[in-house]
mmCIF file of all heavy atoms in Angstrom:
data_model
loop_
_atom_site.group_PDB
_atom_site.id
_atom_site.type_symbol
_atom_site.label_atom_id
_atom_site.label_comp_id
_atom_site.label_asym_id
_atom_site.label_seq_id
_atom_site.Cartn_x
_atom_site.Cartn_y
_atom_site.Cartn_z
ATOM 1 N N ASP A 60 99.759 118.421 160.646
ATOM 2 C CA ASP A 60 98.441 117.870 161.058
ATOM 3 C C ASP A 60 97.715 118.915 162.036
ATOM 4 O O ASP A 60 96.530 118.844 162.104
ATOM 5 C CB ASP A 60 98.730 116.561 161.829
ATOM 6 C CG ASP A 60 99.085 115.444 160.997
ATOM 7 O OD1 ASP A 60 98.624 115.515 159.797
ATOM 8 O OD2 ASP A 60 99.826 114.625 161.398
ATOM 9 N N GLY A 61 98.431 119.758 162.692
ATOM 10 C CA GLY A 61 97.834 120.731 163.529
ATOM 11 C C GLY A 61 98.791 121.841 163.772
ATOM 12 O O GLY A 61 100.029 121.705 163.725
ATOM 13 N N LEU A 62 98.232 122.992 164.126
ATOM 14 C CA LEU A 62 99.027 124.273 164.444
ATOM 15 C C LEU A 62 98.378 124.951 165.489
ATOM 16 O O LEU A 62 97.164 125.256 165.449
ATOM 17 C CB LEU A 62 99.125 125.061 163.147
ATOM 18 C CG LEU A 62 99.869 126.366 163.247
ATOM 19 C CD1 LEU A 62 101.396 126.077 163.431
ATOM 20 C CD2 LEU A 62 99.763 127.181 162.007
ATOM 21 N N ALA A 63 99.212 125.378 166.533
ATOM 22 C CA ALA A 63 98.689 126.192 167.574
ATOM 23 C C ALA A 63 99.427 127.535 167.655
ATOM 24 O O ALA A 63 100.759 127.459 167.582
ATOM 25 C CB ALA A 63 98.852 125.487 168.991
ATOM 26 N N LYS A 64 98.795 128.644 167.758
ATOM 27 C CA LYS A 64 99.455 129.922 167.906
ATOM 28 C C LYS A 64 99.104 130.511 169.218
ATOM 29 O O LYS A 64 97.926 130.801 169.500
ATOM 30 C CB LYS A 64 98.943 130.864 166.750
ATOM 31 C CG LYS A 64 99.279 130.392 165.386
ATOM 32 C CD LYS A 64 98.753 131.341 164.371
ATOM 33 C CE LYS A 64 98.996 130.855 162.981
ATOM 34 N NZ LYS A 64 98.388 131.764 162.009
ATOM 35 N N PHE A 65 100.126 130.676 170.058
ATOM 36 C CA PHE A 65 99.916 131.296 171.405
ATOM 37 C C PHE A 65 100.353 132.710 171.312
ATOM 38 O O PHE A 65 101.480 133.074 170.995
ATOM 39 C CB PHE A 65 100.749 130.534 172.462
ATOM 40 C CG PHE A 65 100.688 131.195 173.751
ATOM 41 C CD1 PHE A 65 99.481 131.412 174.425
ATOM 42 C CD2 PHE A 65 101.910 131.472 174.450
ATOM 43 C CE1 PHE A 65 99.545 132.016 175.672
ATOM 44 C CE2 PHE A 65 101.867 132.018 175.701
ATOM 45 C CZ PHE A 65 100.652 132.273 176.311
ATOM 46 N N THR A 66 99.424 133.648 171.582
ATOM 47 C CA THR A 66 99.699 135.095 171.509
ATOM 48 C C THR A 66 99.717 135.657 172.875
ATOM 49 O O THR A 66 98.714 135.338 173.640
ATOM 50 C CB THR A 66 98.594 135.770 170.623
ATOM 51 O OG1 THR A 66 98.558 135.109 169.341
ATOM 52 C CG2 THR A 66 98.892 137.246 170.470
ATOM 53 N N HIS A 67 100.679 136.428 173.199
ATOM 54 C CA HIS A 67 100.726 137.052 174.596
ATOM 55 C C HIS A 67 101.444 138.383 174.437
ATOM 56 O O HIS A 67 102.252 138.631 173.476
ATOM 57 C CB HIS A 67 101.427 136.118 175.516
ATOM 58 C CG HIS A 67 102.850 135.833 175.158
ATOM 59 N ND1 HIS A 67 103.954 136.593 175.507
ATOM 60 C CD2 HIS A 67 103.399 134.833 174.403
ATOM 61 C CE1 HIS A 67 105.044 136.146 175.005
ATOM 62 N NE2 HIS A 67 104.750 135.018 174.333
ATOM 63 N N PRO A 68 101.289 139.252 175.384
ATOM 64 C CA PRO A 68 101.999 140.523 175.423
ATOM 65 C C PRO A 68 103.442 140.202 175.554
ATOM 66 O O PRO A 68 103.862 139.338 176.259
ATOM 67 C CB PRO A 68 101.499 141.294 176.606
ATOM 68 C CG PRO A 68 100.264 140.523 177.062
ATOM 69 C CD PRO A 68 100.292 139.157 176.512
ATOM 70 N N GLY A 69 104.298 141.013 174.847
ATOM 71 C CA GLY A 69 105.733 140.801 174.868
ATOM 72 C C GLY A 69 106.373 140.952 176.254
ATOM 73 O O GLY A 69 107.275 140.255 176.603
ATOM 74 N N HIS A 70 105.696 141.857 177.040
ATOM 75 C CA HIS A 70 106.339 142.117 178.344
ATOM 76 C C HIS A 70 106.145 140.917 179.335
ATOM 77 O O HIS A 70 106.745 140.776 180.323
ATOM 78 C CB HIS A 70 105.813 143.406 179.000
ATOM 79 C CG HIS A 70 104.358 143.496 179.131
ATOM 80 N ND1 HIS A 70 103.520 143.908 178.124
ATOM 81 C CD2 HIS A 70 103.565 143.107 180.113
ATOM 82 C CE1 HIS A 70 102.284 143.879 178.546
ATOM 83 N NE2 HIS A 70 102.299 143.349 179.750
ATOM 84 N N GLU A 71 105.146 140.009 178.973
ATOM 85 C CA GLU A 71 105.000 138.792 179.804
ATOM 86 C C GLU A 71 106.248 138.032 179.793
ATOM 87 O O GLU A 71 106.678 137.475 180.775
ATOM 88 C CB GLU A 71 103.864 137.962 179.262
ATOM 89 C CG GLU A 71 103.639 136.685 179.922
ATOM 90 C CD GLU A 71 102.592 135.826 179.252
ATOM 91 O OE1 GLU A 71 101.449 136.331 179.065
ATOM 92 O OE2 GLU A 71 102.925 134.655 178.820
ATOM 93 N N ARG A 72 106.907 137.783 178.666
ATOM 94 C CA ARG A 72 108.036 137.020 178.492
ATOM 95 C C ARG A 72 109.212 137.777 179.201
ATOM 96 O O ARG A 72 110.090 137.140 179.840
ATOM 97 C CB ARG A 72 108.461 136.847 176.986
ATOM 98 C CG ARG A 72 109.628 136.080 176.727
ATOM 99 C CD ARG A 72 109.373 134.591 176.839
ATOM 100 N NE ARG A 72 110.569 133.930 176.371
ATOM 101 C CZ ARG A 72 111.485 133.360 177.185
ATOM 102 N NH1 ARG A 72 111.267 133.446 178.475
ATOM 103 N NH2 ARG A 72 112.508 132.712 176.751
ATOM 104 N N ALA A 73 109.274 139.080 179.073
ATOM 105 C CA ALA A 73 110.318 139.867 179.700
ATOM 106 C C ALA A 73 110.224 139.733 181.275
ATOM 107 O O ALA A 73 111.179 139.687 181.911
ATOM 108 C CB ALA A 73 110.190 141.312 179.305
ATOM 109 N N LEU A 74 109.029 139.701 181.762
ATOM 110 C CA LEU A 74 108.817 139.518 183.234
ATOM 111 C C LEU A 74 109.378 138.254 183.708
ATOM 112 O O LEU A 74 109.924 138.144 184.798
ATOM 113 C CB LEU A 74 107.364 139.639 183.667
ATOM 114 C CG LEU A 74 106.791 141.076 183.587
ATOM 115 C CD1 LEU A 74 105.236 141.032 183.810
ATOM 116 C CD2 LEU A 74 107.426 141.982 184.626
ATOM 117 N N ASP A 75 109.217 137.191 182.921
ATOM 118 C CA ASP A 75 109.732 135.873 183.270
ATOM 119 C C ASP A 75 111.284 135.873 183.282
ATOM 120 O O ASP A 75 111.823 135.116 184.115
ATOM 121 C CB ASP A 75 109.161 134.837 182.302
ATOM 122 C CG ASP A 75 109.320 133.414 182.877
ATOM 123 O OD1 ASP A 75 108.891 133.119 183.932
ATOM 124 O OD2 ASP A 75 110.026 132.616 182.139
ATOM 125 N N ILE A 76 111.829 136.520 182.378
ATOM 126 C CA ILE A 76 113.285 136.500 182.222
ATOM 127 C C ILE A 76 113.980 137.496 183.101
ATOM 128 O O ILE A 76 114.837 137.229 183.893
ATOM 129 C CB ILE A 76 113.693 136.644 180.785
ATOM 130 C CG1 ILE A 76 113.238 135.542 179.926
ATOM 131 C CG2 ILE A 76 115.260 136.795 180.671
ATOM 132 C CD1 ILE A 76 113.437 135.696 178.443
ATOM 133 N N ASN A 77 113.643 138.847 182.825
ATOM 134 C CA ASN A 77 114.424 139.872 183.389
ATOM 135 C C ASN A 77 113.990 140.364 184.720
ATOM 136 O O ASN A 77 114.767 140.689 185.580
ATOM 137 C CB ASN A 77 114.356 141.124 182.431
ATOM 138 C CG ASN A 77 114.861 140.766 181.054
ATOM 139 O OD1 ASN A 77 115.792 140.004 180.964
ATOM 140 N ND2 ASN A 77 114.334 141.282 180.025
ATOM 141 N N MET A 78 112.683 140.526 184.973
ATOM 142 C CA MET A 78 112.228 141.089 186.216
ATOM 143 C C MET A 78 112.437 140.124 187.396
ATOM 144 O O MET A 78 112.085 138.958 187.183
ATOM 145 C CB MET A 78 110.760 141.501 186.109
ATOM 146 C CG MET A 78 110.399 142.488 185.096
ATOM 147 S SD MET A 78 111.032 144.111 185.561
ATOM 148 C CE MET A 78 109.923 144.560 186.850
ATOM 149 N N ARG A 79 112.955 140.665 188.389
ATOM 150 C CA ARG A 79 113.252 139.749 189.547
ATOM 151 C C ARG A 79 112.675 140.421 190.762
ATOM 152 O O ARG A 79 112.787 141.623 190.880
ATOM 153 C CB ARG A 79 114.796 139.468 189.715
ATOM 154 C CG ARG A 79 115.316 138.937 188.452
ATOM 155 C CD ARG A 79 116.245 137.801 188.772
ATOM 156 N NE ARG A 79 116.786 137.199 187.595
ATOM 157 C CZ ARG A 79 116.514 135.971 187.149
ATOM 158 N NH1 ARG A 79 115.672 135.229 187.876
ATOM 159 N NH2 ARG A 79 117.012 135.529 186.068
ATOM 160 N N LYS A 80 112.028 139.673 191.538
ATOM 161 C CA LYS A 80 111.428 140.144 192.736
ATOM 162 C C LYS A 80 112.348 140.058 193.942
ATOM 163 O O LYS A 80 112.929 138.975 194.181
ATOM 164 C CB LYS A 80 110.145 139.298 192.974
ATOM 165 C CG LYS A 80 109.163 139.811 193.980
ATOM 166 C CD LYS A 80 107.950 138.931 193.955
ATOM 167 C CE LYS A 80 106.901 139.405 194.889
ATOM 168 N NZ LYS A 80 105.771 138.586 194.868
ATOM 169 N N LEU A 81 112.554 141.123 194.681
ATOM 170 C CA LEU A 81 113.411 141.154 195.761
ATOM 171 C C LEU A 81 112.745 140.510 196.994
ATOM 172 O O LEU A 81 111.650 140.979 197.317
ATOM 173 C CB LEU A 81 113.905 142.586 196.123
ATOM 174 C CG LEU A 81 114.785 142.701 197.292
ATOM 175 C CD1 LEU A 81 116.115 142.001 197.102
ATOM 176 C CD2 LEU A 81 115.055 144.207 197.590
ATOM 177 N N HIS A 82 113.393 139.601 197.544
ATOM 178 C CA HIS A 82 112.874 138.960 198.808
ATOM 179 C C HIS A 82 113.915 139.194 199.908
ATOM 180 O O HIS A 82 115.059 139.073 199.702
ATOM 181 C CB HIS A 82 112.663 137.432 198.673
ATOM 182 C CG HIS A 82 111.574 137.110 197.747
ATOM 183 N ND1 HIS A 82 110.330 136.976 198.075
ATOM 184 C CD2 HIS A 82 111.558 136.900 196.381
ATOM 185 C CE1 HIS A 82 109.535 136.696 197.135
ATOM 186 N NE2 HIS A 82 110.274 136.631 196.129
ATOM 187 N N ARG A 83 113.415 139.562 201.025
ATOM 188 C CA ARG A 83 114.324 139.714 202.193
ATOM 189 C C ARG A 83 114.182 138.388 203.022
ATOM 190 O O ARG A 83 113.193 137.915 203.360
ATOM 191 C CB ARG A 83 113.895 140.892 202.964
ATOM 192 C CG ARG A 83 113.915 142.188 202.234
ATOM 193 C CD ARG A 83 114.198 143.351 203.083
ATOM 194 N NE ARG A 83 114.217 144.532 202.259
ATOM 195 C CZ ARG A 83 115.305 145.081 201.775
ATOM 196 N NH1 ARG A 83 116.475 144.499 201.976
ATOM 197 N NH2 ARG A 83 115.189 146.151 201.047
ATOM 198 N N GLY A 84 115.373 137.847 203.233
ATOM 199 C CA GLY A 84 115.388 136.591 203.925
ATOM 200 C C GLY A 84 115.806 136.703 205.393
ATOM 201 O O GLY A 84 115.594 137.646 206.017
ATOM 202 N N GLU A 85 116.341 135.691 205.847
ATOM 203 C CA GLU A 85 116.734 135.564 207.290
ATOM 204 C C GLU A 85 118.013 136.334 207.549
ATOM 205 O O GLU A 85 118.623 136.869 206.627
ATOM 206 C CB GLU A 85 116.893 134.115 207.658
ATOM 207 C CG GLU A 85 117.940 133.426 206.769
ATOM 208 C CD GLU A 85 117.753 131.901 206.804
ATOM 209 O OE1 GLU A 85 116.609 131.455 206.686
ATOM 210 O OE2 GLU A 85 118.788 131.248 206.857
ATOM 211 N N ILE A 86 118.382 136.468 208.743
ATOM 212 C CA ILE A 86 119.567 137.153 209.144
ATOM 213 C C ILE A 86 120.794 136.281 208.935
ATOM 214 O O ILE A 86 120.784 135.142 209.370
ATOM 215 C CB ILE A 86 119.469 137.612 210.681
ATOM 216 C CG1 ILE A 86 118.220 138.489 210.881
ATOM 217 C CG2 ILE A 86 120.759 138.343 211.070
ATOM 218 C CD1 ILE A 86 118.134 139.726 210.135
ATOM 219 N N GLY A 87 121.835 136.842 208.288
ATOM 220 C CA GLY A 87 123.040 136.039 207.987
ATOM 221 C C GLY A 87 123.992 136.015 209.196
ATOM 222 O O GLY A 87 123.722 136.683 210.222
ATOM 223 N N LYS A 88 125.152 135.410 209.024
ATOM 224 C CA LYS A 88 126.085 135.336 210.112
ATOM 225 C C LYS A 88 126.671 136.696 210.502
ATOM 226 O O LYS A 88 127.121 136.928 211.618
ATOM 227 C CB LYS A 88 127.284 134.457 209.709
ATOM 228 C CG LYS A 88 126.894 132.974 209.578
ATOM 229 C CD LYS A 88 127.986 132.061 209.144
ATOM 230 C CE LYS A 88 127.611 130.649 209.045
ATOM 231 N NZ LYS A 88 128.640 129.811 208.597
ATOM 232 N N ASP A 89 126.724 137.669 209.574
ATOM 233 C CA ASP A 89 127.208 138.994 209.839
ATOM 234 C C ASP A 89 126.203 139.895 210.390
ATOM 235 O O ASP A 89 126.470 141.012 210.655
ATOM 236 C CB ASP A 89 127.776 139.673 208.503
ATOM 237 C CG ASP A 89 126.690 139.737 207.394
ATOM 238 O OD1 ASP A 89 125.587 139.266 207.640
ATOM 239 O OD2 ASP A 89 127.081 140.234 206.337
ATOM 240 N N GLY A 90 125.020 139.376 210.709
ATOM 241 C CA GLY A 90 123.984 140.173 211.314
ATOM 242 C C GLY A 90 123.117 140.889 210.368
ATOM 243 O O GLY A 90 122.142 141.693 210.796
ATOM 244 N N LYS A 91 123.375 140.859 209.062
ATOM 245 C CA LYS A 91 122.627 141.652 208.082
ATOM 246 C C LYS A 91 121.506 140.715 207.497
ATOM 247 O O LYS A 91 121.719 139.509 207.379
ATOM 248 C CB LYS A 91 123.555 142.155 206.991
ATOM 249 C CG LYS A 91 124.551 143.135 207.454
ATOM 250 C CD LYS A 91 125.346 143.662 206.312
ATOM 251 C CE LYS A 91 126.402 144.719 206.762
ATOM 252 N NZ LYS A 91 127.155 145.158 205.685
ATOM 253 N N GLN A 92 120.485 141.338 206.996
ATOM 254 C CA GLN A 92 119.440 140.603 206.293
ATOM 255 C C GLN A 92 119.973 140.099 204.959
ATOM 256 O O GLN A 92 120.612 140.805 204.225
ATOM 257 C CB GLN A 92 118.238 141.466 206.051
ATOM 258 C CG GLN A 92 117.185 141.251 207.072
ATOM 259 C CD GLN A 92 115.847 141.925 206.618
ATOM 260 O OE1 GLN A 92 115.883 142.677 205.696
ATOM 261 N NE2 GLN A 92 114.822 141.603 207.322
ATOM 262 N N LEU A 93 119.692 138.837 204.684
ATOM 263 C CA LEU A 93 120.058 138.255 203.411
ATOM 264 C C LEU A 93 119.055 138.627 202.368
ATOM 265 O O LEU A 93 117.830 138.670 202.649
ATOM 266 C CB LEU A 93 120.155 136.650 203.495
ATOM 267 C CG LEU A 93 121.112 136.139 204.463
ATOM 268 C CD1 LEU A 93 120.952 134.614 204.491
ATOM 269 C CD2 LEU A 93 122.509 136.506 204.063
ATOM 270 N N LYS A 94 119.471 138.981 201.194
ATOM 271 C CA LYS A 94 118.569 139.275 200.048
ATOM 272 C C LYS A 94 118.798 138.279 198.952
ATOM 273 O O LYS A 94 119.855 137.830 198.684
ATOM 274 C CB LYS A 94 118.908 140.635 199.532
ATOM 275 C CG LYS A 94 118.768 141.831 200.510
ATOM 276 C CD LYS A 94 119.161 143.115 199.925
ATOM 277 C CE LYS A 94 119.173 144.167 200.924
ATOM 278 N NZ LYS A 94 119.643 145.424 200.412
ATOM 279 N N TYR A 95 117.697 137.941 198.330
ATOM 280 C CA TYR A 95 117.799 137.073 197.155
ATOM 281 C C TYR A 95 116.705 137.481 196.168
ATOM 282 O O TYR A 95 115.748 138.133 196.549
ATOM 283 C CB TYR A 95 117.755 135.563 197.470
ATOM 284 C CG TYR A 95 116.474 135.101 198.074
ATOM 285 C CD1 TYR A 95 115.457 134.494 197.333
ATOM 286 C CD2 TYR A 95 116.170 135.216 199.412
ATOM 287 C CE1 TYR A 95 114.280 134.095 197.860
ATOM 288 C CE2 TYR A 95 114.986 134.786 200.070
ATOM 289 C CZ TYR A 95 114.070 134.236 199.238
ATOM 290 O OH TYR A 95 112.853 133.789 199.760
ATOM 291 N N TRP A 96 116.927 137.167 194.929
ATOM 292 C CA TRP A 96 116.071 137.529 193.867
ATOM 293 C C TRP A 96 115.441 136.285 193.240
ATOM 294 O O TRP A 96 116.012 135.304 193.122
ATOM 295 C CB TRP A 96 116.846 138.303 192.780
ATOM 296 C CG TRP A 96 117.502 139.510 193.236
ATOM 297 C CD1 TRP A 96 118.660 139.641 193.987
ATOM 298 C CD2 TRP A 96 116.925 140.855 193.193
ATOM 299 N NE1 TRP A 96 118.900 140.892 194.349
ATOM 300 C CE2 TRP A 96 117.869 141.707 193.816
ATOM 301 C CE3 TRP A 96 115.821 141.396 192.657
ATOM 302 C CZ2 TRP A 96 117.700 143.057 193.839
ATOM 303 C CZ3 TRP A 96 115.601 142.755 192.667
ATOM 304 C CH2 TRP A 96 116.568 143.578 193.344
ATOM 305 N N ARG A 97 114.202 136.523 192.782
ATOM 306 C CA ARG A 97 113.494 135.353 192.162
ATOM 307 C C ARG A 97 112.732 135.939 190.957
ATOM 308 O O ARG A 97 112.117 137.014 191.043
ATOM 309 C CB ARG A 97 112.523 134.741 193.117
ATOM 310 C CG ARG A 97 111.921 133.490 192.589
ATOM 311 C CD ARG A 97 111.112 132.821 193.660
ATOM 312 N NE ARG A 97 109.921 133.558 193.908
ATOM 313 C CZ ARG A 97 109.178 133.472 194.927
ATOM 314 N NH1 ARG A 97 109.405 132.581 195.843
ATOM 315 N NH2 ARG A 97 108.098 134.267 195.143
ATOM 316 N N SER A 98 112.690 135.252 189.827
ATOM 317 C CA SER A 98 112.010 135.822 188.641
ATOM 318 C C SER A 98 110.433 135.502 188.898
ATOM 319 O O SER A 98 110.039 134.630 189.691
ATOM 320 C CB SER A 98 112.423 135.056 187.335
ATOM 321 O OG SER A 98 112.191 133.729 187.416
ATOM 322 N N PHE A 99 109.597 136.232 188.108
ATOM 323 C CA PHE A 99 108.207 135.942 188.064
ATOM 324 C C PHE A 99 108.001 134.718 187.132
ATOM 325 O O PHE A 99 108.145 134.873 185.956
ATOM 326 C CB PHE A 99 107.438 137.207 187.520
ATOM 327 C CG PHE A 99 107.518 138.365 188.382
ATOM 328 C CD1 PHE A 99 108.199 139.461 187.937
ATOM 329 C CD2 PHE A 99 106.835 138.441 189.552
ATOM 330 C CE1 PHE A 99 108.263 140.615 188.661
ATOM 331 C CE2 PHE A 99 106.835 139.572 190.328
ATOM 332 C CZ PHE A 99 107.606 140.669 189.925
ATOM 333 N N ARG A 100 107.708 133.623 187.684
ATOM 334 C CA ARG A 100 107.557 132.352 186.878
ATOM 335 C C ARG A 100 106.187 132.377 186.247
ATOM 336 O O ARG A 100 105.303 131.670 186.763
ATOM 337 C CB ARG A 100 107.912 131.180 187.721
ATOM 338 C CG ARG A 100 109.345 131.159 188.170
ATOM 339 C CD ARG A 100 109.541 130.052 189.153
ATOM 340 N NE ARG A 100 110.910 130.026 189.498
ATOM 341 C CZ ARG A 100 111.717 128.964 189.297
ATOM 342 N NH1 ARG A 100 111.254 127.842 188.755
ATOM 343 N NH2 ARG A 100 113.005 129.060 189.581
ATOM 344 N N ILE A 101 106.026 133.042 185.149
ATOM 345 C CA ILE A 101 104.686 133.121 184.516
ATOM 346 C C ILE A 101 104.648 132.686 183.080
ATOM 347 O O ILE A 101 103.653 132.813 182.445
ATOM 348 C CB ILE A 101 104.044 134.517 184.657
ATOM 349 C CG1 ILE A 101 104.976 135.563 184.048
ATOM 350 C CG2 ILE A 101 103.784 134.892 186.154
ATOM 351 C CD1 ILE A 101 104.423 137.014 183.886
ATOM 352 N N HIS A 102 105.819 132.359 182.527
ATOM 353 C CA HIS A 102 105.853 132.015 181.111
ATOM 354 C C HIS A 102 106.488 130.647 180.841
ATOM 355 O O HIS A 102 105.761 129.741 180.419
ATOM 356 C CB HIS A 102 106.604 133.128 180.357
ATOM 357 C CG HIS A 102 106.529 132.932 178.896
ATOM 358 N ND1 HIS A 102 105.447 133.297 178.119
ATOM 359 C CD2 HIS A 102 107.416 132.423 177.922
ATOM 360 C CE1 HIS A 102 105.645 133.064 176.829
ATOM 361 N NE2 HIS A 102 106.887 132.482 176.714
ATOM 362 N N ASN A 103 107.732 130.532 181.068
ATOM 363 C CA ASN A 103 108.457 129.315 180.633
ATOM 364 C C ASN A 103 107.941 128.052 181.334
ATOM 365 O O ASN A 103 107.764 127.060 180.661
ATOM 366 C CB ASN A 103 109.944 129.417 180.997
ATOM 367 C CG ASN A 103 110.727 130.316 180.023
ATOM 368 O OD1 ASN A 103 110.206 130.622 179.013
ATOM 369 N ND2 ASN A 103 111.855 130.808 180.433
ATOM 370 N N ASN A 104 107.669 128.095 182.668
ATOM 371 C CA ASN A 104 107.182 126.938 183.331
ATOM 372 C C ASN A 104 105.910 126.435 182.676
ATOM 373 O O ASN A 104 105.668 125.180 182.546
ATOM 374 C CB ASN A 104 106.865 127.272 184.764
ATOM 375 C CG ASN A 104 108.115 127.429 185.579
ATOM 376 O OD1 ASN A 104 109.211 127.171 185.115
ATOM 377 N ND2 ASN A 104 107.972 127.777 186.851
ATOM 378 N N PHE A 105 105.025 127.324 182.287
ATOM 379 C CA PHE A 105 103.736 126.882 181.698
ATOM 380 C C PHE A 105 103.903 126.384 180.254
ATOM 381 O O PHE A 105 103.298 125.359 179.888
ATOM 382 C CB PHE A 105 102.728 128.061 181.804
ATOM 383 C CG PHE A 105 102.440 128.420 183.155
ATOM 384 C CD1 PHE A 105 103.070 129.464 183.816
ATOM 385 C CD2 PHE A 105 101.549 127.654 183.898
ATOM 386 C CE1 PHE A 105 102.858 129.794 185.110
ATOM 387 C CE2 PHE A 105 101.242 127.960 185.226
ATOM 388 C CZ PHE A 105 101.902 129.043 185.799
ATOM 389 N N ILE A 106 104.705 127.112 179.483
ATOM 390 C CA ILE A 106 104.906 126.682 178.052
ATOM 391 C C ILE A 106 105.490 125.300 177.980
ATOM 392 O O ILE A 106 105.005 124.406 177.352
ATOM 393 C CB ILE A 106 105.780 127.750 177.335
ATOM 394 C CG1 ILE A 106 105.152 129.109 177.389
ATOM 395 C CG2 ILE A 106 106.099 127.320 175.958
ATOM 396 C CD1 ILE A 106 103.824 129.206 176.636
ATOM 397 N N TRP A 107 106.639 125.080 178.715
ATOM 398 C CA TRP A 107 107.360 123.852 178.632
ATOM 399 C C TRP A 107 106.563 122.698 179.306
ATOM 400 O O TRP A 107 106.716 121.585 178.980
ATOM 401 C CB TRP A 107 108.778 123.979 179.057
ATOM 402 C CG TRP A 107 109.587 124.767 178.094
ATOM 403 C CD1 TRP A 107 109.948 126.041 178.195
ATOM 404 C CD2 TRP A 107 109.969 124.324 176.780
ATOM 405 N NE1 TRP A 107 110.616 126.493 177.041
ATOM 406 C CE2 TRP A 107 110.562 125.459 176.109
ATOM 407 C CE3 TRP A 107 109.811 123.202 176.075
ATOM 408 C CZ2 TRP A 107 111.076 125.364 174.837
ATOM 409 C CZ3 TRP A 107 110.279 123.109 174.768
ATOM 410 C CH2 TRP A 107 110.896 124.212 174.206
ATOM 411 N N GLY A 108 106.000 123.075 180.430
ATOM 412 C CA GLY A 108 105.175 122.036 181.182
ATOM 413 C C GLY A 108 104.051 121.430 180.269
ATOM 414 O O GLY A 108 103.827 120.248 180.202
#
Side-chain angles (χ1 to χ4, degrees):
D60 288 328
L62 178 68
K64 296 178 186 177
F65 174 53
T66 307
H67 61 87
H70 58 272
E71 174 187 305
R72 180 80 173 102
L74 285 172
D75 193 58
I76 295 173
N77 299 326
M78 297 291 285
R79 304 225 178 244
K80 192 175 183 181
L81 176 63
H82 291 272
R83 299 209 182 266
E85 56 201 42
I86 305 296
K88 291 181 182 177
D89 59 358
K91 295 183 180 178
Q92 262 193 347
L93 299 175
K94 297 177 187 176
Y95 63 97
W96 298 83
R97 187 175 70 197
S98 66
F99 295 111
R100 295 173 177 241
I101 58 172
H102 186 80
N103 286 344
N104 288 355
F105 296 96
I106 299 297
W107 289 105

